[in-house]
Amino acid sequence: MPMSHLRPIRKPVSTRQPNGGSPSTRARHTRQVPQRECLMPTSAEIRTQFLDFFKGKDHTHVPSSLVVPVGDPTLLFANAGMNQFKDVFLGTGTRDYRRAANTQKCIRAGGKHNDLEDVGRDTYHHTFFEMLGNWSFGDYFKAEAIEWAWELLTGQWKLDPSRLHATVFGGDPQDGLEPDHEAAELWRKLTDIPPEHIHFFGRKDNFWEMGDTGPCGPCSEIHYDNTPNRSGHGLVNADDPRVIEIWNLVFIQFNRDATGKLRPLPARHVDTGMGFERITAVLQGKSSNYDTDVFTPIFAEIQRITGAPPYSGAMDQSEAGKRDTAYRVIADHIRTLTMALTDGGHCGNEGRDYVLRRILRRAVHFGANTLGVDQPFFHELVPAVVRSLGDAFPELKKNPQAVADELREEETAFRRTLDRGTQLFLQIAGRGDKTISGDDAFTLFDTHGFPLDLTQVMAQDRGMTVDVAGFQARMEQARALSRSASGREDLTPILVELMQKESLLATGFEGYSTTELNKKMSVRLFVIEGDHCREVSKAQVDERVIAVAPQTVFYAESGGQVGDTGVIEAGHGKARLRVIDTRKLGDVWFHIADVQAGPVDAGERTWHLSVDAPRRAAIMSHHTTTHLMNRALRLHVHAGADQKGSLVDEFKTRFDFSCPAPVSPEQVQAVEKQVNDDIAADLKVYWAQAPQEEALRINGLRAVFGEKYPPSVRVVSIGVPVENLLAEPDREQWSGYSIEFCGGTHLDKTGDAEGFVIINEEGVAKGIRRLTALAGSAAHRATVEASGLQARIDALGTSGGADLPTQVMEIQKLIAERELPLIARWKLRDSLAALQQKIKELDKQKSRQAAGDIVEQARALADSANDGFLIECIEGADPNLLRTAMDVIRSKKPGLPLLLVGVMPDKLAFLASVPPEYIKQGWKAGDWVRQVAQAAGGGGGGRPDMAQAGGRDPEKLPEALSAANDFARSRLT
């Protein structure tokens, strides 16, 4: 696009003071200076100019937060500049500045904000982008935000006002909101935008909300008209690339409460966001973001590495257009992956890790199928990204090799299945159908690792569609099969149906402090029949039912902790339900139970609920020590360890966490010692309900990524009262405590756990490790058993014995099968290895002694041998010892045909030697041993001069010797 859209340099006229005081009069910018040619700024210069402009308005430059969020379980990736200031907008945090500006690293590739499918197919969508932003926290408001935005765009950057359009909020009767006439008037008063370029739009386009509740307000967007004749008036907010939004000014002035009502905020804020890549395209006179110097260096590197024709900017379905789509996809995706992995992300199978893996595989697909690259190449682009963004984000320069290594490993693994999967896809596509079936899409995913979106891309390239609903149905079948294979009944569909059909009251949980409940209440019973259930007034013996009560002490499975089991009784114990599991949906508890005594009458008034207390105690031991282990991992293994999943039951705790490398033996020992020290300290376990906003302010608080927490959360703290945490949330010392959001049941004090051992460490995905551990009596049993095995090994090392190898194999099997402390298991294996080495040395010693005995026996045989031939048995001689004996005898009787038999408990070994002169007469060693071995149920053979064979049946030794003699005599005659 020609540079005529840029304005000449001129000094803006404004009544505002340098520090940004409020305007009092209308101040239009004048353009008296004649136009002169302007130099095109680089993207780096544009970024710097934006930040410097707002520094000049007393804004603090705040570095970008990580694109992989830390401490925000609601966010897949940082997707806007305001993410790191969310606590300020929520009123739960403050900063020591009231004005801020920065460029924020953002990824939109999953969840609500997902631009992945658009990337490469248009000129302005990206999975990774920078968001330039400025903020006011209760300081300036609409007037300053509008005037400064205009000053930067038309003053410093000299954009033509006739190409700019501003949108403002047009009101919403449902919320009782009038149009934002204030903002519209400020646009007219403080800028020289053409009045007809001020547009009113509704809530969808011009009202910003953080979520269903919380801070919100109207916004004003600035759009740029890139049409040749400035005719884009009707294309504003029409999703047309010729008229594109470049800056959004959000005026946060309301709070939406839990009832949906809007209430004015006591402090009003400004939150603006400008797409860096978009404004760069505008200022560099480009119609596509991909034509700017943000991307052209990466395109050049792609061309150098792949050997593909250079990027031409084609957007159609021609060969050049498909090739350029691949360029855009690969360039965008390498920026995303490089930044995400630098900030702590990994490619994997769950959550954001799977999103990153999908992005990588999409790029590799375009490289392989469109650019024809048949070797891993994607990782080679990392240096180009570092050169492009490293000055703005220095963290990219710290360890780019680690990023490249992971990308290479991921691409190599994917390419092993890509070729096979592509062949299968081509076979499917070659059937002539217009749609890839859900079954076929699932096969590509399940067998060849093809994400659904990659199958969709390949189908779209061929004018086909994919049966997404069918694919999802197959995925659900696979999940159900997996649940069935785990031995656990999947009742979720039944419970969902029950919730939809019945009016069920919320269940009150009273099980944090007791395991018994005796109460007058109404209980509803539903008999399970196949995939459905029906309500009954009486449940009969042996029926499986779902019991729903208004109150309970049974913990329902959630947060990684399994549901309680126990007994529900009525009718003074004459009716009994054996609860085998407890589940919940929303705020309703479901007791899954078998009728043990009955019938059970739903009309009973008094019910006695009793949780299996010993089982609950074991679960609580494992749950509380899980919290201690979570803390110990951050202290001794990896400071950035975040919980990725857990399973807590009466048998064990299993804990998944982010960690770049396997946990070393020394680290396992340190974690185990730390937890046991905390147990020995007998720390009190505190818990309390708190507003989520207040709890999130606690320094050191841990929350699980992806977990949705209610407005009121339960905080579990070990060693310090929750009230103290809430009173002084910012204290540095809190970071040393175990503080978590948790709805599970816990011990009253850590000493009740008695002990803790880690029994296994393994990897479950890239950058995700898993520890399995035992607490309480289970830990004690494991320790005692390990000590017993160690004592057995030590005893064998001193006593030995003929059955030593057998005992070693038995201990080896026990070490592999039993649940033992991991440190002890490693020590046992080391001790066993030393014992096995001792066995080898004893075997060698015995072999040397046996060889000596065999030599003496062979010499005696040679001395006693007569002319003709020699056939002799040697007890305990294996084939090696037979050769030793053969060598001794041949040295003394070189012209004598020999056949030696090694006699062992379970088999026979035969070795024959025939001199050349006998061979000429037809006496061949191979024939001799073959015939002898066959007599003993075996076989073998060899050369005419030397051959060996074996016999399976030692009891056939007499027959074998007879056959040997018969063969020899037949050759002598």
Side-chain angles (χ1 to χ4, degrees):
M1 189 183 72
M3 301 296 291
S4 59
H5 68 292
L6 295 178
R7 301 179 65 192
I9 299 174
R10 80 288 180 272
K11 183 176 180 180
V13 177
S14 174
T15 59
R16 184 163 311 284
Q17 299 300 314
N19 65 357
S22 300
S24 57
T25 60
R26 182 174 181 175
R28 288 186 177 273
H29 297 270
T30 60
R31 298 185 300 281
Q32 303 293 329
V33 181
Q35 181 172 343
R36 64 181 179 85
E37 188 174 350
C38 303
L39 295 176
M40 183 175 70
T42 67
S43 58
E45 290 171 339
I46 292 168
R47 184 189 295 110
T48 299
Q49 289 166 3
F50 177 89
L51 296 174
D52 287 348
F53 177 85
F54 282 101
K55 287 178 185 176
K57 305 294 184 183
D58 293 336
H59 287 61
T60 298
H61 176 217
V62 180
S64 169
S65 63
L66 298 177
V67 77
V68 176
V70 175
D72 188 347
T74 67
L75 199 58
L76 193 65
F77 298 103
N79 55 31
M82 58 72 58
N83 292 152
Q84 66 171 306
F85 304 118
K86 185 188 294 188
D87 61 325
V88 179
F89 296 135
L90 288 170
T92 62
T94 60
R95 300 293 188 274
D96 56 5
Y97 46 82
R98 301 187 69 185
R99 300 180 181 185
N102 81 349
T103 177
Q104 171 64 45
K105 301 173 289 187
C106 298
I107 291 178
R108 291 185 178 175
K112 178 181 177 182
H113 300 289
N114 185 1
D115 293 337
L116 181 59
E117 295 309 310
D118 296 320
V119 170
R121 304 191 184 282
D122 63 23
T123 63
Y124 57 92
H125 277 104
H126 311 289
T127 53
F128 171 80
F129 62 95
E130 292 181 55
M131 182 79 80
L132 301 173
N134 60 286
W135 293 270
S136 165
F137 307 125
D139 188 35
Y140 62 83
F141 200 48
K142 294 180 184 179
E144 292 86 345
I146 290 172
E147 184 175 19
W148 291 341
W150 193 255
E151 180 182 343
L152 177 61
L153 293 174
T154 65
Q156 180 160 333
W157 284 340
K158 299 172 282 295
L159 293 182
D160 185 345
S162 66
R163 290 191 175 273
L164 295 173
H165 292 256
T167 66
V168 295
F169 178 52
D172 189 308
Q174 181 178 344
D175 280 330
L177 294 177
E178 295 292 327
D180 193 357
H181 293 297
E182 178 189 9
E185 179 59 25
L186 288 170
W187 277 110
R188 287 187 287 266
K189 178 181 178 182
L190 301 178
T191 77
D192 54 357
I193 190 172
E196 63 275 15
H197 284 197
I198 301 171
H199 310 256
F200 285 87
F201 284 92
R203 176 174 173 176
K204 175 179 177 292
D205 294 303
N206 279 83
F207 195 87
W208 178 90
E209 301 197 55
M210 182 180 292
D212 294 336
T213 61
C216 54
C219 62
S220 185
E221 297 174 344
I222 303 172
H223 296 249
Y224 184 79
D225 181 357
N226 204 25
T227 60
N229 58 355
R230 301 174 178 81
S231 59
H233 187 280
L235 300 178
V236 175
N237 270 342
D239 201 26
D240 190 300
R242 293 171 296 174
V243 178
I244 193 167
E245 174 198 343
I246 58 173
W247 205 345
N248 188 14
L249 315 179
V250 180
F251 310 123
I252 302 175
Q253 60 189 92
F254 299 109
N255 182 70
R256 190 179 296 279
D257 63 23
T259 68
K261 296 291 185 180
L262 292 177
R263 304 185 186 281
L265 286 171
R268 302 184 300 179
H269 313 293
V270 170
D271 165 25
T272 87
M274 177 192 291
F276 171 67
E277 292 78 9
R278 293 186 180 188
I279 192 61
T280 298
V282 169
L283 294 177
Q284 292 186 355
K286 308 296 184 182
S287 59
S288 167
N289 295 359
Y290 292 98
D291 292 337
T292 68
D293 67 343
V294 173
F295 289 95
T296 51
I298 302 177
F299 288 162
E301 195 68 2
I302 295 172
Q303 198 276 329
R304 183 189 69 80
I305 292 170
T306 66
Y311 179 75
S312 64
M315 300 296 298
D316 53 25
Q317 289 300 307
S318 65
E319 287 303 311
K322 293 178 179 178
R323 183 174 59 245
D324 288 348
T325 296
Y327 265 98
R328 290 187 288 269
V329 167
I330 294 168
D332 172 90
H333 291 4
I334 190 60
R335 281 163 41 97
T336 301
L337 268 299
T338 301
M339 192 61 76
L341 267 60
T342 295
D343 279 1
H346 293 286
C347 298
N349 292 325
E350 300 291 339
R352 68 163 68 99
D353 294 351
Y354 183 61
V355 173
L356 295 176
R357 176 168 282 172
R358 287 173 56 203
I359 293 172
L360 179 139
R361 290 180 171 183
R362 188 169 187 259
V364 172
H365 160 73
F366 276 97
N369 286 27
T370 306
L371 300 186
V373 185
D374 58 4
Q375 297 292 328
F377 76 99
F378 195 58
H379 67 282
E380 296 184 46
L381 297 171
V382 171
V385 178
V386 175
R387 289 192 296 271
S388 172
L389 295 172
D391 289 339
F393 307 106
E395 58 271 21
L396 286 169
K397 299 179 180 180
K398 290 182 179 179
N399 193 4
Q401 190 59 49
V403 174
D405 289 346
E406 180 170 344
L407 295 181
R408 181 179 62 251
E409 181 181 332
E410 278 288 324
E411 180 175 0
T412 300
F414 180 52
R415 280 183 176 272
R416 285 196 288 266
T417 62
L418 180 61
D419 292 341
R420 293 193 301 273
T422 300
Q423 290 301 316
L424 176 59
F425 176 87
L426 293 175
Q427 292 175 16
I428 295 168
R431 297 172 187 164
D433 300 330
K434 293 294 184 182
T435 300
I436 303 294
S437 71
D439 288 344
D440 288 332
F442 179 78
T443 299
L444 285 165
F445 169 80
D446 190 49
T447 306
H448 299 286
F450 268 44
L452 177 63
D453 52 356
L454 181 53
T455 301
Q456 290 175 300
V457 167
M458 297 173 70
Q460 185 177 8
D461 290 343
R462 290 161 178 79
M464 303 174 69
T465 59
V466 178
D467 178 11
V468 176
F471 171 84
Q472 297 294 355
R474 281 298 309 275
M475 283 290 290
E476 183 52 41
Q477 290 175 12
R479 295 188 187 103
L481 183 62
S482 176
R483 290 190 291 265
S484 175
S486 69
R488 190 164 184 267
E489 187 177 8
D490 180 23
L491 296 175
T492 302
I494 296 176
L495 300 182
V496 170
E497 181 184 31
L498 191 58
M499 287 284 286
Q500 293 172 341
K501 288 185 176 181
E502 302 291 338
S503 177
L504 301 175
L505 299 176
T507 305
F509 179 63
E510 300 181 13
Y512 286 129
S513 57
T514 182
T515 58
E516 301 276 342
L517 178 66
N518 197 72
K519 195 171 186 65
K520 289 184 178 181
M521 57 185 175
S522 297
V523 174
R524 299 178 67 178
L525 300 175
F526 301 86
V527 173
I528 298 174
E529 296 176 335
D531 295 334
H532 304 280
C533 66
R534 62 181 175 86
E535 188 167 13
V536 295
S537 58
K538 290 185 179 182
Q540 305 301 322
V541 173
D542 293 336
E543 285 185 325
R544 178 157 292 181
V545 301
I546 300 170
V548 181
Q551 290 177 290
T552 187
V553 288
F554 285 78
Y555 180 82
E557 177 185 345
S558 63
Q561 179 177 328
V562 297
D564 278 334
T565 62
V567 173
I568 298 177
E569 293 180 326
H572 304 288
K574 295 179 181 179
R576 183 184 306 110
L577 297 174
R578 178 63 192 175
V579 179
I580 60 173
D581 197 5
T582 309
R583 317 269 184 94
K584 72 174 182 177
L585 287 179
D587 54 5
V588 178
W589 264 241
F590 300 95
H591 306 84
I592 317 303
D594 292 328
V595 181
Q596 283 188 334
V600 178
D601 191 340
E604 289 282 356
R605 297 191 61 191
T606 302
W607 297 81
H608 182 74
L609 285 67
S610 177
V611 171
D612 185 342
R615 179 177 181 269
R616 165 78 80 82
I619 293 171
M620 291 193 299
S621 290
H622 286 126
H623 202 158
T624 299
T625 53
T626 299
H627 283 221
L628 295 175
M629 178 168 59
N630 190 3
R631 169 180 173 268
L633 285 168
R634 298 194 303 277
L635 291 175
H636 300 288
V637 178
H638 180 50
D642 284 324
Q643 180 175 344
K644 296 297 183 180
S646 67
L647 172 64
V648 176
D649 60 23
E650 68 270 37
F651 305 112
K652 65 187 176 302
T653 173
R654 193 182 70 200
F655 189 75
D656 297 345
F657 60 100
S658 59
C659 188
V663 184
S664 69
E666 294 77 17
Q667 290 172 326
V668 169
Q669 198 162 16
V671 170
E672 198 171 274
K673 181 180 183 303
Q674 181 68 63
V675 175
N676 280 305
D677 286 348
D678 291 341
I679 291 172
D682 202 22
L683 303 169
K684 184 169 176 54
V685 180
Y686 299 92
W687 68 270
Q689 292 291 136
Q692 183 189 134
E693 296 83 354
E694 292 183 27
L696 285 170
R697 296 174 56 196
I698 299 172
N699 183 33
L701 174 78
R702 309 302 295 183
V704 181
F705 173 78
E707 192 80 15
K708 293 182 178 179
Y709 296 104
S712 177
V713 294
R714 185 170 182 260
V715 180
V716 175
S717 169
I718 300 178
V720 58
V722 177
E723 291 76 9
N724 294 8
L725 302 174
L726 295 171
E728 299 180 88
D730 297 327
R731 290 185 63 173
E732 183 64 29
Q733 73 183 81
W734 300 153
S735 62
Y737 288 86
S738 169
I739 309 167
E740 300 189 28
F741 284 169
C742 181
T745 58
H746 284 273
L747 301 171
D748 289 331
K749 55 187 187 305
T750 59
D752 294 340
E754 299 177 358
F756 172 86
V757 293
I758 295 169
I759 63 171
N760 193 41
E761 191 277 341
E762 61 185 323
V764 293
K766 185 71 177 180
I768 306 296
R769 307 301 298 180
R770 170 177 291 171
L771 290 181
T772 305
L774 307 176
S777 59
H780 178 69
R781 287 193 300 270
T783 302
V784 169
E785 184 161 16
S787 298
L789 289 173
Q790 185 65 59
R792 284 184 63 181
I793 295 174
D794 293 342
L796 288 174
T798 57
S799 63
D803 63 342
L804 186 59
T806 302
Q807 293 203 49
V808 166
M809 290 181 62
E810 181 183 339
I811 294 174
Q812 201 168 24
K813 184 180 179 182
L814 289 173
I815 292 174
E817 293 177 348
R818 300 298 175 84
E819 289 186 337
L820 303 172
L822 189 55
I823 296 297
R825 186 189 303 276
W826 287 330
K827 290 180 179 178
L828 287 168
R829 286 174 176 167
D830 289 343
S831 299
L832 205 59
L835 186 58
Q836 288 170 319
Q837 183 62 36
K838 181 177 180 179
I839 293 173
K840 289 181 181 179
E841 292 172 358
L842 289 173
D843 288 343
K844 289 179 181 179
Q845 184 178 346
K846 290 178 181 178
S847 295
R848 288 193 294 269
Q849 183 177 347
D853 294 342
I854 290 295
V855 169
E856 292 302 319
Q857 188 175 350
R859 286 173 180 163
L861 290 172
D863 292 340
S864 63
N866 298 318
D867 293 336
F869 61 87
L870 176 64
I871 299 173
E872 286 292 344
C873 293
I874 302 177
E875 289 290 336
D878 60 17
N880 290 329
L881 292 176
L882 285 183
R883 290 190 186 92
T884 300
M886 181 71 76
D887 291 342
V888 172
I889 297 172
R890 288 174 65 186
S891 67
K892 287 181 172 288
K893 300 287 185 177
L896 192 66
L898 305 172
L899 189 143
L900 300 179
V901 183
V903 182
M904 291 166 283
D906 57 345
K907 60 186 175 180
L908 300 172
F910 305 103
L911 185 64
S913 173
V914 179
E917 57 268 27
Y918 287 93
I919 295 174
K920 293 175 182 178
Q921 299 174 21
W923 191 341
K924 297 179 180 179
D927 296 339
W928 197 6
V929 295
R930 186 180 301 110
Q931 187 168 321
V932 175
Q934 287 172 353
R943 303 192 312 269
D945 62 324
M946 181 73 75
Q948 67 179 19
R952 298 190 188 94
D953 190 353
E955 293 184 0
K956 295 290 183 68
L957 177 59
E959 290 87 344
L961 293 175
S962 177
N965 278 285
D966 290 345
F967 183 93
R969 291 191 183 97
S970 69
R971 294 303 182 269
L972 286 175
T973 59

